[in-house]
Amino acid sequence: MKEYLESVNRELDESNWKITCIRFAPNDPKQNPIEDIWLQAKRFIREYYHLCSSFNVVKFLFEFVTHHQTFNFPKLFTYGCFSQLI
């Protein structure tokens, strides 16, 4: 990853980098925005568990909630690249 980032951002000032890697603490919902998405998907599955007659149904519900929803968590916009998605 480091080699790739160096090749993409070669000889550019840090303020002009094309790609920046932001390291999040793994499994930390206070810092890592993906944890909010996992939480929301798990909450959805729990709400509709009575429909889950097989793993395929669980998988379908998980993909449904993660692929057909716009996630708008305030902390997401504290990170530079995400703040441009509005």
Side-chain angles (χ1 to χ4, degrees):
M1 182 59 131
K2 285 183 179 183
E3 291 175 14
Y4 174 72
L5 290 173
E6 288 173 7
S7 70
V8 171
N9 299 320
R10 185 171 301 143
E11 299 180 16
L12 295 173
D13 292 332
E14 187 174 345
S15 61
N16 295 323
W17 282 357
K18 296 177 182 177
I19 299 176
T20 302
C21 182
I22 301 173
R23 295 191 60 151
F24 296 117
N27 305 317
D28 183 0
K30 294 179 182 171
Q31 184 183 17
N32 191 340
I34 195 67
E35 292 301 321
D36 288 323
I37 295 170
W38 280 110
L39 181 62
Q40 190 126 348
K42 289 188 290 185
R43 188 177 300 133
F44 183 82
I45 297 292
R46 283 187 206 114
E47 188 173 334
Y48 293 98
Y49 76 93
H50 59 282
L51 300 174
C52 299
S53 57
S54 69
F55 179 75
N56 285 336
V57 176
V58 174
K59 181 180 173 188
F60 171 81
L61 288 174
F62 181 82
E63 290 175 350
F64 177 79
V65 74
T66 56
H67 295 169
H68 296 93
Q69 182 174 348
T70 301
F71 296 96
N72 186 13
F73 302 113
K75 76 175 137 203
L76 194 79
F77 301 103
T78 62
Y79 301 102
C81 62
F82 295 111
S83 64
Q84 298 171 8
L85 295 175
I86 296 179

